């Protein structure tokens, strides 16, 4: 909480239950800043030299220097609004300014003067959190006596009202975040900076050295950083780009440390982690490990085989589906990695034992809602095969998906914009149109039919309880009927033609009748079924929102009994994690040092993308002129370092601070062994990967010099 | 030398030049046992507790316990002839005794009594070196005044005479080994044990855990060992298998150590390393790195692409060429690994600087022969593209190769057996017949034609100096002519039929005219050209045999001036290497511990070949009953360990001894970073991988028990 406010007595004040002095386990925890004063003892014991109470104040240093930047995190690093974030977070900005003649992606960029700072793409945003206030009572006031979808709708209505009121203030974006799975709600106020400019970017072969091959890998040798500057109107208020705008003066900024970290040194990080599932029930853990992940791996393997077989038979199909195939392989790899990690950590057994102990310590009255939650989850579970297959049939098809989207758009367009389903509002139209245009480059009827034969063929084998009448009517109950239906649909549809799709889009966005087409006619029959299933899902989600707080109360009480604090699962709000520089023993007899050096850049260099280190970098490494940025013990230039900080997607660009609150690193990835950390934090394997600020300084001093920028950063 | 004998004064007694007290560099060196007394100081400094002089005596312990076993090395480990070697060295023995009903490969084998010991395949041999005598003067006596092919023929004639005299003794196999590239010659006398029996083999999933995936890899978790027993006739002399034979009583055997090694502990190894190129000229190093290896990688890539493309178009071709494709990929991987390693070690630059310094210190008179050697090598070099392409065209074709072999066999069969070219003598006929039969399972005319279009198409682009008239006449000078010629040949030949090949074989082995067939007619025109090129090659080899000794003398003198000793390149003779248990830092920030534990077996276990650890092993690991075989510091069971010992192919199964000469390990592989060590020993990366004898003991005590075998080994 940004201001001290009495914990509401109505409901169970979960925030109070979490006010304990010990973290959940060594270095686990994405803490709300408001929790940090209560962790003061642990923070000091871990080595933090500052005042933990100071960390609770979002409007004071250092946390008011930490911002949401694009899809990740960033930090102010000068009084004139320099924002440091990842190269990959700011990649859109670099790309937006890049042309074949002036290839900023390949060559990097150094703005020699402020006049040369290049405007970001207009939709790039930097958000500064300026308020974080508990609004649980307001949000839940209308939910009394409600259940299921009605419960969720009451929460949504209250949320919209709060956001709308809050956004009366100009230049402020507001949102309401559910903490502890709906136990608590916070109103978040953010200053919305809209004029960002590119100041410094290293070449791609530094900022993204290793690319996909090194993604999730440690040891790492990537200089994944970029420097932007925030501008505001002359009145100091957020404004869209204008040449008359002036640099934004943040209330505080981070200072880069003169020295680097050593093994065991305290480190902390602040940022906007996206989503975690750490506090899910044991049944959900079991479902994830025993069913969801294996099923995804198996299904993706089958779809990969279908596309690869088609590619062997037809070179054009191979080209058209290259990107979809890559996506499937990435998803498959991630699911397999998560599964491997959860199994290695024995997460299901541990979570189950923990939950059983918790339930044994929970009063019967409390357990009633927890039992009801279990029933809701079990009901979802009964439809899991169907939900997976029909979901993937939509996401992995091009023409079928287009038809379904067009029909749904037709239906939604008949309503007032605010009442339309998310994804079908006025602001979504450009995206839909873009997707409809893109189909041309990604569609081959034989491949799509083969994918749907695979997916819907599996659907056909499900028991009756999981069947959907409209799908059965459309595709029959046998593989032969399915194949015939698909052949007829794809032989008859005109949607393979871009103009036909755009014509249908023009009608759909006006809510008018769609052209006659077999696939659109099919969509007209299937979409009502989809909406029906969606309503079932929303009812379940409402019930979960209503019932999970009981589970979280029991968990918080159990943690308290264990002498441990509880942090809410990540939800895109500002969090703080603390820990230390730590090596990694990923496997028997293998050790990874927590610091990499420029020697590794040369070792990995092949001259081929993505290991094509630029010649000026190789020359500078060979010259060995590292000076004061060299590590005194290693006697050479460091590149990246590793900590045991608790992070997840969204933490990209998070500043990493030392015990004195000085900037030592920039978070940009985690290790492969930690893919499963979105569900389970295993201190043996969970690591976060950071750019060493000494590498950034060296690059900016000696390789692609920007002395004026360094000076502005006080270096 | 097994007995002290005065260094011959005729010629330059190179062996004397090598009598220095310091090794070439830390832990580099495959020393002849006769050199070890001269390295006594270095050996003691490294930690050896025994008498180095003792190591020179091949007829005394410990070296008389080290034997050549199959294609690798082994050691006697009991007074009743137990021989310990690798699972992969004895794999043929296991396979020979394995049936679908009694699958010893999958299940392993424990002979409960001597009666249950299973006879090896009749061609499996164990050779015990009993004599190692310098015969340089006798070998070189007839070479005076000769050059080129005549020089080589004189050496060959002397060698045959020496071997023939030596083998008068029954049960003894003799050979003559050239040391220091023909500077010195040694007569090697070996007791030839012909009745070997299988006593103990772990299941494949232990003995070959990880298979190809873990091949060349560290950390490793393989129990690559097998125990055989040598039998002799009742008279104590070597004899073929007979149920009446009795266990062989070796003059000495190795004792397994009661304790295991620790990091930094002294280790030594004896065995029969096959071939190295460490003392090749700088020009040969440059050719290897700058041309041979890149050319092989590029050519193999092209052939792989040809076969994969054919496989995409034709499933039958995919099946027929699966094994050839795998072979090409392995060769490609090895060449790429060797190239990577030699570049990483900067071997060409280092070897060149070393050679330049050597030449500057070499008297002009000596340099004349070295210059002549350089000219010989340069002449070969001028034909390198042609030699590679025509060589691969033969080795990677099936029908063309068959035709060439048949024609050559027809020619050679007209000579007395002893005068025939190697590979075409009476003893080779079974192998040739087998290959001719096997064609059926590996041949597809379209793939062979595509491979030959690729290879001979490249040949067609070579400059005239590298051309061969007969090949040009047969295949034309344009891709179109080549394609037409191949189409006509493969449309017309009957050799695709097995009976046709065997009929031609029946004629060829009698020296009779071959049947009329376009491919055989082609072979009749090409083989004379092949023989002509072969003669050119033999002339070059003879010149190298004559001239390399000058280079070796200069190198030995230069090493002496540096205070370093010189070991001869590996040539399949008994050698000793010493060093220590050593970790490995293969890349920036990556460290491998030098000892692995059973935890790694569980980590790697997937249940799928090759990571399908047997359930009894997994159960025993879970039970954790390691007892006295556990490592006292790690508190668990070790599996494999790593040393910096100098090894190469042929060292498989070499016993690894501690400072007291006790058996602590069994060599079975080296690491991927050391693939290039056949040319260049880089102490940063060269490691050897050994089974820890404590793992073997634990398996034999607790998992697949064989208490009687352990007792016999004194355990």
């Amino acid at each position: 909480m940004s201001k001290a406010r009495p914990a509401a007595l109505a409901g169970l004040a979960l925030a109070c239950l979490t006010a304990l002095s010990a973290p959940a386990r060594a270095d686990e925890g994405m803490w709300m800043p408001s929790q940090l004063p209560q962790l003061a003892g642990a923070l000091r014991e871990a080595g933090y030299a500052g005042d933990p109470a100071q960390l609770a104040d979002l409007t004071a240093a250092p946390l008011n220097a930490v911002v949401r930047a694009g899809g990740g995190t960033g930090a102010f690093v000068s009084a004139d609004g320099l924002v440091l974030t990842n190269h990959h977070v700011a990649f859109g900005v670099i790309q937006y300014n890049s042309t074949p003649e002036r290839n900023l992606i390949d060559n990097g960029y150094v703005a020699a003067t402020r006049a040369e700072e290049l405007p970001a793409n207009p939709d790039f945003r930097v958000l500064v959190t300026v308020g974080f206030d508990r609004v649980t009572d307001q949000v839940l006031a209308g939910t009394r006596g409600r259940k299921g979808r009605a419960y969720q709708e009451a929460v949504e209505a209250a949320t919209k009202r709060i956001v709308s009121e809050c956004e009366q203030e100009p230049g402020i974006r507001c949102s309401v975040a559910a903490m502890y799975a709906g136990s608590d709600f916070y109103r978040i106020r953010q200053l919305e900076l809209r004029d960002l400019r590119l100041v410094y970017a290293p070449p791609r072969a530094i900022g993204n050295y290793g690319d996909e091959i090194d993604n999730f890998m440690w040891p790492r040798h990537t200089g994944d950083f970029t420097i932007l500057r925030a501008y505001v109107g002359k009145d100091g208020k957020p404004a869209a780009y204008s040449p008359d705008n002036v640099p934004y003066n943040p209330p505080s900024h981070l200072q880069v440390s003169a020295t680097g970290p050593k093994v065991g040194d305290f480190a902390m990080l602040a940022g906007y982690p996206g989503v975690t599932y750490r506090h899910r029930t044991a049944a959900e853990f079991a479902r994830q490990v025993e069913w969801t992940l294996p099923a995804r791996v198996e299904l993706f393997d089958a779809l990969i085989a279908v596309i690869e077989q088609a590619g062997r038979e037809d070179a054009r199909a191979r080209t058209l589906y290259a990107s979809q195939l890559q996506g499937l392989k990435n998803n498959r790899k991630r699911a397999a990695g998560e599964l491997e990690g959860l199994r290695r950590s024995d997460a299901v057994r541990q979570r189950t034992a923990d939950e059983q102990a918790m339930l044994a310590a929970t009063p019967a009255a409390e357990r009633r809602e927890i039992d009801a939650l279990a029933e809701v989850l079990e009901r979802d579970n009964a439809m899991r095969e169907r939900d997976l297959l029909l979901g993937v049939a939509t996401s992995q098809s091009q023409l079928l998906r287009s038809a379904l989207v067009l029909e749904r758009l037709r239906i939604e367009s008949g309503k007032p914009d605010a009442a339309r389903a998310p994804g079908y509002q006025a602001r979504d139209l450009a995206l839909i149109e873009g997707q409809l245009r893109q189909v041309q480059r990604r569609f081959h009827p034989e491949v799509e039919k083969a994918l749907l034969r695979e997916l819907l063929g599996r659907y056909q084998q499900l028991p009756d309880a999981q069947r959907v009448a409209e799908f059965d009517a459309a595709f029959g109950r046998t593989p032969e009927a399915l194949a015939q239906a698909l052949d007829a649909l794809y032989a008859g549809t005109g949607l393979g033609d871009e103009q036909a799709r755009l014509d249908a889009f023009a009608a759909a966005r006006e809510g008018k009748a769609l052209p006659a087409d077999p696939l659109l006619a099919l969509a007209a029959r299937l979409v009502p079924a989809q909406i029906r299933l969606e309503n079932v899902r929303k009812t379940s989600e409402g019930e979960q929102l209503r019932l999970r707080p009981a589970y979280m109360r029991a968990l918080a009480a159990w943690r308290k009994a264990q002498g441990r604090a509880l942090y809410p699962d990540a939800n895109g709000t500002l969090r703080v994690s603390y820990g230390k520089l730590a090596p990694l023993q990923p496997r028997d007899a293998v050790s990874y040092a927590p610091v990499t050096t420029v020697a590794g850049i040369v070792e990995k260099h092949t001259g081929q993308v993505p290991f094509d280190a630029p010649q000026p970098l190789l020359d500078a490494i060979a010259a060995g002129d590292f000076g004061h940025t060299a590590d005194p013990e290693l006697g050479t230039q460091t590149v990246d370092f590793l900590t045991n900080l608790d992070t997840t997607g969204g933490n990209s660009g998070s500043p990493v601070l030392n015990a004195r609150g000085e900037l030592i690193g920039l978070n940009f990835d985690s290790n492969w062994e930690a893919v499963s950390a979105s569900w389970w934090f295993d201190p043996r394997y969970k690591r976060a990967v950071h750019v060493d600020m000494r590498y950034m300084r060296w690059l900016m001093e000696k390789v692609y010099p920007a002395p004026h920028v360094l000076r502005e950063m006080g270096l």
Side-chain angles (χ1 to χ4, degrees), chain A:
Chain A
M1 290 167 270
S2 61
K3 293 164 199 166
R5 61 168 58 223
L9 291 173
L12 273 123
L14 191 67
C16 295
L17 293 180
T18 66
L20 295 163
S21 60
R25 67 179 69 203
D27 311 308
E28 173 177 355
M30 299 173 173
W31 306 101
M32 294 189 289
S34 53
Q35 293 183 282
L36 295 172
Q38 297 142 353
L39 296 169
L43 263 167
R44 283 204 200 88
E45 199 178 314
Y48 184 56
D51 175 9
Q54 173 86 6
L55 294 172
D57 189 351
L58 292 175
T59 63
L63 285 191
N64 63 355
V66 180
V67 300
R68 183 120 184 89
T73 299
F76 290 119
V77 290
S78 86
D80 279 354
L82 287 182
V83 176
L84 177 65
T85 187
N86 288 146
H87 185 269
H88 79 266
V89 167
F91 187 72
V93 179
I94 303 168
Q95 194 172 34
Y96 179 76
N97 285 287
S98 206
T99 62
E101 296 73 38
R102 193 177 64 165
N103 190 333
L104 306 191
I105 297 172
D106 282 357
N107 303 328
Y109 187 68
V110 184
T113 64
R114 290 195 182 173
E116 289 185 12
E117 295 174 0
L118 303 169
N121 39 315
D123 57 339
F124 193 87
R125 292 284 180 278
V126 161
L127 303 174
V128 191
T129 301
V130 292
F132 185 74
D133 301 286
R134 192 161 179 274
V135 293
T136 310
D137 297 347
Q138 289 142 270
V139 171
L140 296 183
T143 61
R144 251 164 278 244
R146 292 175 189 250
K147 286 188 165 192
R149 215 179 153 182
Y151 186 94
Q152 194 185 34
E153 282 168 351
V155 168
E156 262 180 33
T159 296
K160 281 183 182 169
R161 202 166 50 241
I162 293 167
V163 167
S164 168
E165 276 170 27
C166 174
E167 289 189 347
Q168 297 302 313
E169 188 179 350
I172 293 292
R173 272 259 299 260
C174 300
S175 58
V176 171
M179 297 290 176
Y180 300 106
S183 306
D184 253 339
F185 292 88
Y186 285 83
R187 182 187 65 198
I188 296 160
R189 295 170 58 242
Q190 294 178 307
L191 192 68
E192 183 180 28
L193 297 171
R194 289 181 286 155
D195 182 359
L196 280 298
R197 305 195 193 167
L198 181 62
V199 176
Y200 188 100
R204 170 201 51 75
I206 290 176
N208 191 19
Y209 193 59
D211 195 23
E212 282 303 322
I213 296 175
D214 263 10
N215 192 17
F216 279 121
M217 288 298 138
W218 180 262
R220 196 66 158 278
H221 299 85
T222 309
D224 191 354
F225 74 95
T226 286
I227 299 173
L228 308 173
R229 188 190 303 281
Y231 281 76
V232 287
K234 284 187 170 167
D235 58 356
K237 301 279 187 238
Y241 169 77
S242 157
D244 299 332
N245 282 351
V246 296
Y248 172 66
N249 300 124
S252 83
H253 65 271
L254 301 178
Q255 176 59 45
V256 175
S257 169
T259 58
K262 296 191 309 294
V263 177
D265 273 4
F266 174 88
M268 65 188 294
L269 160 158
Y272 292 83
V275 56
T276 57
Y277 309 89
R278 302 264 176 83
H279 306 319
R280 292 298 174 109
T281 70
E284 288 177 293
F285 267 74
R287 174 177 167 175
Q288 184 76 359
V289 171
E290 287 154 20
W291 188 79
T292 307
L293 294 171
R296 287 168 65 88
V297 169
E298 197 271 331
L299 184 61
F300 291 154
D301 275 341
L303 299 181
I304 288 166
V306 166
I307 295 180
E308 288 187 336
Q309 181 57 37
R312 271 194 289 274
E313 289 160 7
D314 184 334
R316 216 176 119 257
R318 193 153 63 240
T319 309
L320 289 166
Y321 282 79
S323 160
Q324 187 165 336
L325 183 62
Q326 193 53 49
L328 279 167
K329 285 183 173 176
N330 284 347
N331 282 331
R332 191 244 179 245
K333 185 180 169 189
R334 232 193 119 91
E338 190 174 320
L339 183 60
E340 185 186 306
L342 290 173
R343 283 183 175 152
R344 183 174 48 217
S345 297
D346 205 6
V348 174
R349 200 189 52 74
Q350 292 201 61
R351 188 72 197 81
T352 303
D354 182 42
E355 185 181 86
Q356 281 169 350
M358 174 192 91
L359 291 175
T362 303
E366 284 280 315
R367 289 188 56 171
R368 222 171 315 124
E369 291 196 340
I370 294 174
D371 291 344
L373 172 64
E375 280 167 34
V376 170
L377 296 174
E378 190 46 41
R379 268 200 299 278
D380 286 356
N381 208 22
M383 301 295 157
R384 61 192 189 185
E385 287 84 5
R386 179 195 73 190
D387 290 346
L388 175 67
L389 291 169
L390 297 187
V392 173
T394 307
S395 67
Q396 295 292 321
S397 66
Q398 296 292 336
L399 239 48
L400 176 60
R401 180 177 51 186
S402 298
L404 293 168
V405 164
L406 286 163
E407 171 63 11
R408 182 70 184 265
L409 178 62
R410 185 193 66 76
I411 294 171
E412 298 297 330
S413 296
K415 306 176 189 170
D417 194 66
R420 294 180 197 166
Y424 295 93
Q425 294 178 287
R427 66 182 198 181
D428 303 311
L429 290 174
L431 186 67
I432 293 175
E433 183 179 343
Q435 285 171 345
L436 291 170
R437 286 185 188 276
Q438 218 177 39
V439 165
Q440 223 59 29
R441 294 191 284 124
R442 304 170 167 231
F443 168 72
H444 188 296
E446 292 310 316
V447 185
E448 177 147 332
K449 283 194 293 181
L451 287 169
L452 291 174
R453 280 198 303 271
E454 181 70 38
L455 288 159
L456 298 174
R458 286 163 177 252
Y459 161 79
Q460 286 184 328
Q461 290 167 36
L462 296 181
D464 284 350
Q466 293 201 43
R467 311 203 65 79
V468 184
E470 291 86 343
F471 279 80
D472 287 350
F475 299 111
R477 306 271 317 235
T478 66
E480 296 71 29
L482 170 62
Q484 276 180 18
L486 290 170
D487 284 344
L489 283 165
Y490 283 83
T493 184
L495 289 187
D497 177 60
E498 180 170 333
Q499 194 52 51
R501 289 193 302 276
L502 295 178
D503 289 348
F505 174 66
R509 64 185 293 173
E510 304 296 331
K512 293 181 184 160
L514 300 181
D517 184 282
L519 262 186
L520 291 172
L522 173 78
R525 283 177 283 148
L526 296 186
V527 168
Q530 285 188 318
I531 292 173
R532 195 171 69 241
L533 297 181
E534 194 176 289
N535 285 337
V536 171
R537 181 171 56 74
K538 284 188 176 168
T539 299
S540 167
E541 285 170 1
E543 280 299 90
Q544 291 180 48
L545 196 60
R546 181 174 75 86
L547 297 168
R548 279 194 199 271
Y551 189 87
M552 295 307 302
R553 284 193 300 272
L555 187 59
W558 173 236
R559 287 285 176 270
K560 186 177 182 180
Q562 292 176 310
R564 290 163 56 183
L566 188 72
Y567 56 92
D569 259 316
N571 58 356
T573 59
L574 185 60
R575 302 296 179 90
V576 172
S577 155
Y578 66 92
K580 58 176 186 281
L581 202 79
L584 173 63
Q585 278 84 43
R587 297 184 298 286
D588 182 45
V590 178
S591 292
Y592 296 148
V595 178
T596 60
T597 74
V598 289
I601 295 173
V602 179
E603 284 172 4
K604 288 180 177 175
H605 178 74
T606 60
Q608 305 297 311
V609 176
F611 292 110
D612 53 339
Q615 198 56 48
L617 176 62
L618 294 173
D619 292 344
I621 293 170
D625 176 19
F626 306 125
H628 63 105
T629 59
D631 185 276
E633 279 179 37
L634 298 171
T636 184
Q637 182 60 52
T638 59
V639 178
D640 294 331
F641 69 92
L642 197 65
T643 66
N644 62 356
L645 293 171
D646 196 357
T647 58
T648 193
N651 272 124
S652 283
S654 288
V656 183
L657 310 179
N658 65 15
R660 295 179 302 281
E662 299 161 341
L663 187 63
I664 52 172
L666 195 62
N667 181 63
F668 71 98
D669 201 8
S670 59
N671 53 312
W672 174 246
E673 296 78 12
V675 169
S676 52
S678 52
W679 283 76
W680 184 258
F681 184 101
D682 188 328
R684 295 173 301 170
Y685 301 115
K686 174 65 187 81
R687 296 291 182 276
V689 178
H690 318 297
V691 182
D692 192 321
M693 289 293 94
R694 294 173 294 180
Y695 182 50
M696 180 186 84
R697 283 183 73 179
W698 178 68
L699 289 171
M700 294 178 71
E701 281 177 19
K702 305 279 174 67
V703 191
Y704 295 93
H708 56 298
V709 182
L710 287 170
R711 239 182 342 263
E712 184 180 338
M713 291 164 69
L715 294 171

